[in-house]
Amino acid sequence: MTSQTTLLADDASCPASRSLWQLGWQRLRRDRIGLTALWVVLAFVLLALAGWLGLAGSHWRDEVAKPNMPPALFKDYGPATVELTAADIDAAQQHNTSIADASAATGMSAEDDPLAADMAAAQTQAANAAPLAVTPANDSLLVLGSDSRGRDVLQKVIQGTATSLLVGLSGALLAILIGTLLGALSGYFGRRTDDLLMWFYSVFTSVPDMLLLLAFSAVMSRGIDTVIMVMALTSWTGTYRLMRAEFMKHKGREYVQAADAIGASHRSRMFRHILPNVTHLLLVQFSLLTVALIKYEAILSFLGFGVGISQTSWGAMLAEAPAELLQGYWWQMAAVTLFMSLLVTAFSMLTDSLRDALDPKVK
Amino acid sequence: MLAYILRRLWQMVPTLFGVMLLLFILFNWVGGDPSYILAGKSFSAETLANIRHQLGLDKSLPEQFLIFVQQVLTLDFGTSWSTQQPVADILGSRIGPSLTLALPMLLVSLLLSVIIAAIVAYVRGSLTDRLVTLICTLAMSVSALVYIIAGQYWLAHKLGWFPILGWSDSLATNLWLYVPLPLLLGLVVSLAPDIRFYRSCFVEEMNHDYVRTARAKGLSEQVIMLKHVMRNALIPVVTSLMMSLPYLFLGALLLERFFGIPGMGNEVLNAVDRSDFPVIKAITIYVALATMLFNLLADIVYKLIDPRVQLK
């Protein structure tokens, strides 16, 4: 009697068979490091979303404070700056106007000077514009300080996060799409298709990534969409290799033969039957690529071949760092380094955890 | 063996053709008409036509491609658009500085990372191991740019231990004076990923049964590590080393830029900056050739150090 009830209870508690994704999620939830990394990455994605939607960091171009103001916490650690009083500025302006008197400078009378009328017009225009150009001196402290033009480093770094993540995520996504499509065709059909695509692959791998990136950016216009495209075109090769091997392995398996027997088309066998069985590899590949592309983007933007000047990114901010460091303004570089290492560390740890969690051999 | 090498060399022909096609599409088709760049500010229809004729742009695309193929086969890429120097001369003068920095860097980095990785793998699971792995992970998360900017500022500018940048004509001066700082910073960037990768190679080998057998028959730990494990673990190390050799020709791009070293990497960046297509094309072809040859060499070395490998 009792044995039967326990048997029944066992039956009821016996869980339904779970998919790899459910198992993976369960394993990831038990992995404290992996879970923390996941939350950090999600927080960055949210921050980047806010940046794209203009909710945060959209005022990064505004000159809101004095140039080169140190961060609030370290306000005594910045280099000493000479405060200009209003009297100094007035004196400098007086000096300027006396020199700017064009006729006097050229030693010609106003009638002889062909540019006199233009100069006068320009001077009145400048006088009109001058009151607008003066920004109210803002003494309020900024959390991360300000850059050489008085822009808020916090706003800039948020906008930079948005740009860098956009480039990293969409570049990796595109690269995965190209790699998976070509890899699937190559591994599934084999023969001529495989030969052709392998040739294509060998062409792209025989030139180092960085050189290929530079060659592409030499002929294309600068801008964020170019950077994404260039990165996708140069980094699909790893995914291709992986997917080609997987599709070769899977196409002979029984479940694919069964799909063939019930009349599934090639496309359906490739993308409805095989693809879901290899997606977990793609997820790991995707996060690996994202990290790599974020690093590449920083270097490209630093060298001036990345995002345009109307946008900012971590690389573009780092490009300002050498000149600032020389004057002792270290906080812009520190802010970028902090944000970037946090994201990259979290992403790398998440990748490791994902790889373990989604490994079908582990129970 | 000879038949294998010849077959592999033959297989490089279509790949090289593909690289040429890719470059041609990029620079002659996507890149658009360069004659406007070359003509500068004061161009007339006549000068434009003249430039187009000189570059062969007035010919049809297939004919232009043939010209490019001819250039690659004779390894004569004409003259640079920005300096009018022959491209071969430019590259000839750039390869020396690149190798002066990259070769010592490769050797020191390889030696250090293999030794550290072997030690860390030997004490795997210990506090030292976990600490080194953690430091490597953290070090890898910081952009190479930050190391170089901060290193150049602190070690050269603030502390004055090294010159900030520069290069001379004498090899000895370069090695003593100008190479150490870029080399050190290059090491900082490359050590962390290398140690992690090599450590995993060692750890994987140490879990094999033959290690237990060697231990069971009473061999000393030193012999096991140096004679048994090392030989097997070095196979992936050698492969990755051979794969990184083509980068010697490309030079350390960022380091050369920061420290004013007139090497290949700096030349590539300048060429991209000035839209100097012949130089970019030439460097890409050379690096692609080097990559293919070193891939072949890697497979041959692979065979030499691991007799189980069959070359097909």
Side-chain angles (χ1 to χ4, degrees):
Chain A
M1 189 71 176
T2 43
S3 69
Q4 197 155 11
T5 45
T6 46
L7 258 179
L8 275 175
D10 269 0
D11 242 20
S13 66
C14 181
S17 119
R18 282 165 304 183
S19 74
L20 177 64
W21 294 101
Q22 285 169 323
L23 281 171
W25 171 237
Q26 207 175 36
R27 275 187 225 127
L28 189 65
R29 266 205 317 207
R30 260 183 270 138
D31 180 0
R32 254 185 306 161
I33 296 177
L35 207 59
T36 320
L38 180 67
W39 285 121
V40 175
V41 171
L42 283 182
F44 266 97
V45 172
L46 274 182
L47 191 67
L49 262 179
W52 300 329
L53 298 175
L55 298 176
S58 55
H59 300 296
W60 67 274
R61 283 189 202 83
D62 298 354
E63 295 162 14
V64 291
K66 283 188 217 154
N68 296 317
M69 235 179 27
L73 271 179
F74 302 95
K75 60 182 178 213
D76 304 324
Y77 288 87
T81 45
V82 184
E83 289 277 337
L84 287 179
T85 60
D88 288 334
I89 297 169
D90 270 354
Q93 274 172 347
Q94 296 276 304
H95 188 62
N96 271 338
T97 35
S98 63
I99 287 179
D101 193 345
S103 318
T106 50
M108 282 188 277
S109 67
E111 289 85 48
D112 291 342
D113 189 354
L115 292 175
D118 290 340
M119 283 301 291
Q123 273 170 4
T124 47
Q125 213 174 4
N128 284 336
L132 290 176
V134 173
T135 44
N138 190 347
D139 278 340
S140 70
L141 289 168
L142 299 171
V143 182
L144 291 179
S146 66
D147 74 352
S148 59
R149 282 169 54 189
R151 295 178 296 193
D152 186 353
V153 171
L154 181 64
Q155 298 253 356
K156 273 181 91 178
V157 94
I158 291 174
Q159 196 60 37
T161 307
T163 313
S164 295
L165 259 182
L166 178 70
V167 170
L169 290 174
S170 41
L173 193 67
L174 266 179
I176 294 273
L177 280 180
I178 301 175
T180 308
L181 186 67
L182 297 186
L185 289 174
S186 191
Y188 183 82
F189 288 113
R191 299 168 194 250
R192 285 289 162 80
T193 324
D194 186 38
D195 287 345
L196 181 74
L197 290 171
M198 269 311 268
W199 170 73
F200 204 54
Y201 165 82
S202 68
V203 168
F204 272 82
T205 43
S206 61
V207 184
D209 284 355
M210 201 62 203
L211 191 57
L212 207 54
L213 279 177
L214 287 173
F216 271 91
S217 50
V219 293
M220 291 180 180
S221 57
R222 310 273 145 89
I224 196 164
D225 39 354
T226 311
V227 177
I228 294 172
M229 209 169 69
V230 165
M231 290 196 164
L233 284 178
T234 51
S235 50
W236 55 273
T237 47
T239 317
Y240 166 78
R241 187 101 218 188
L242 182 77
M243 281 298 109
R244 177 175 172 270
E246 285 299 315
F247 270 77
M248 269 182 177
K249 203 168 75 189
H250 279 265
K251 75 173 174 191
R253 295 255 169 102
E254 282 93 346
Y255 75 93
V256 183
Q257 287 172 355
D260 186 22
I262 59 168
S265 66
H266 286 306
R267 200 174 64 190
S268 152
R269 264 180 276 164
M270 274 160 74
F271 297 113
R272 281 188 58 189
H273 295 269
I274 303 181
L275 190 62
N277 286 305
V278 294
T279 332
H280 62 284
L281 296 171
L282 286 179
L283 193 68
V284 173
Q285 190 75 10
F286 174 73
S287 52
L288 275 178
L289 261 181
T290 309
V291 173
L293 292 190
I294 285 175
K295 285 182 174 174
Y296 269 142
E297 189 277 333
I299 292 177
L300 271 188
S301 293
F302 177 86
L303 293 171
F305 307 127
V307 298
I309 43 167
S310 61
Q311 277 151 332
T312 193
S313 78
W314 288 339
M317 288 175 75
L318 281 179
E320 296 169 15
E324 287 181 346
L325 261 190
L326 276 182
Q327 305 168 65
Y329 309 134
W330 47 268
W331 42 90
Q332 177 152 250
M333 188 170 105
V336 175
T337 311
L338 189 75
F339 270 68
M340 191 167 168
S341 350
L342 195 62
L343 177 67
V344 170
T345 313
F347 235 123
S348 316
M349 287 179 163
L350 180 63
T351 311
D352 286 347
S353 299
L354 276 180
R355 193 181 287 145
D356 293 344
L358 291 173
D359 188 351
K361 281 180 227 138
V362 183
K363 273 287 169 200
Chain B
M1 190 67 150
L2 187 69
Y4 172 77
I5 294 175
L6 283 179
R7 199 167 61 249
R8 283 286 300 267
L9 286 173
W10 177 243
Q11 283 168 355
M12 284 178 196
V13 175
T15 310
L16 185 65
F17 177 78
V19 174
M20 288 194 278
L21 203 61
L22 177 71
L23 284 178
F24 183 76
I25 291 173
L26 266 186
F27 289 103
N28 290 50
W29 188 51
V30 182
D33 191 347
S35 39
Y36 289 98
I37 307 173
L38 286 176
K41 278 175 193 153
S42 54
F43 59 86
S44 61
E46 201 185 340
T47 41
L48 282 183
N50 213 341
I51 291 169
R52 286 200 185 113
H53 181 68
Q54 269 183 12
L55 299 177
L57 292 176
D58 46 359
K59 298 195 177 77
S60 68
L61 280 179
E63 274 179 295
Q64 288 184 40
F65 185 63
L66 275 183
I67 296 176
F68 181 47
V69 171
Q70 199 183 1
Q71 282 183 335
V72 174
L73 291 183
T74 55
L75 290 179
D76 175 15
F77 292 91
T79 56
S80 151
W81 287 354
S82 57
T83 61
Q84 302 303 328
Q85 268 177 293
V87 173
D89 288 2
I90 299 182
L91 298 191
S93 66
R94 297 292 186 263
I95 188 77
S98 273
L99 287 180
T100 313
L101 172 62
L103 214 53
M105 195 156 82
L106 186 77
L107 291 178
V108 178
S109 148
L110 181 72
L111 215 61
L112 272 181
S113 52
V114 167
I115 292 174
I116 298 177
I119 294 174
V120 171
Y122 184 68
V123 294
R124 67 184 182 283
S126 71
L127 187 67
T128 323
D129 175 34
R130 269 184 277 169
L131 210 62
V132 170
T133 313
L134 181 73
I135 292 173
C136 285
T137 313
L138 289 181
M140 277 163 74
S141 74
V142 178
S143 169
L145 289 168
V146 174
Y147 287 118
I148 302 175
I149 296 173
Q152 194 177 28
Y153 172 71
W154 278 108
L155 300 177
H157 175 74
K158 271 271 157 153
L159 299 174
W161 292 352
F162 304 96
I164 292 177
L165 55 82
W167 201 252
S168 75
D169 287 334
S170 110
L171 181 68
T173 322
N174 284 336
L175 281 178
W176 278 117
L177 198 63
Y178 296 118
V179 165
L181 183 58
L183 184 117
L184 186 72
L185 294 175
L187 276 187
V188 171
V189 174
S190 70
L191 267 186
D194 282 357
I195 289 176
R196 273 194 61 163
F197 174 59
Y198 296 159
R199 177 193 170 275
S200 68
C201 297
F202 276 104
V203 167
E204 204 184 308
E205 283 304 322
M206 285 162 73
N207 287 331
H208 279 297
D209 288 344
Y210 72 84
V211 178
R212 196 184 46 198
T213 312
R215 206 165 272 149
K217 70 179 184 181
L219 290 182
S220 73
E221 288 295 320
Q222 267 175 346
V223 174
I224 296 175
M225 264 320 261
L226 295 179
K227 221 176 140 191
H228 295 239
V229 174
M230 189 73 108
R231 182 144 183 216
N232 281 300
L234 279 186
I235 295 171
V237 175
V238 168
T239 317
S240 81
L241 179 72
M242 299 301 284
M243 296 298 172
S244 71
L245 282 181
Y247 288 86
L248 282 182
F249 291 90
L250 190 54
L253 219 80
L254 281 176
L255 287 172
E256 287 183 7
R257 183 63 148 203
F258 270 96
F259 292 96
I261 299 169
M264 289 291 233
N266 222 338
E267 190 57 37
V268 173
L269 294 178
N270 285 338
V272 174
D273 235 3
R274 300 176 190 145
S275 302
D276 199 341
F277 292 174
V279 176
I280 310 176
K281 280 200 262 192
I283 292 180
T284 315
I285 291 285
Y286 277 118
V287 173
L289 276 175
T291 312
M292 287 186 268
L293 287 176
F294 279 115
N295 276 353
L296 172 59
L297 205 59
D299 286 343
I300 295 172
V301 172
Y302 207 50
K303 164 86 183 161
L304 291 181
I305 54 174
D306 187 357
R308 290 167 299 182
V309 172
Q310 292 287 319
L311 296 177
K312 293 186 284 193

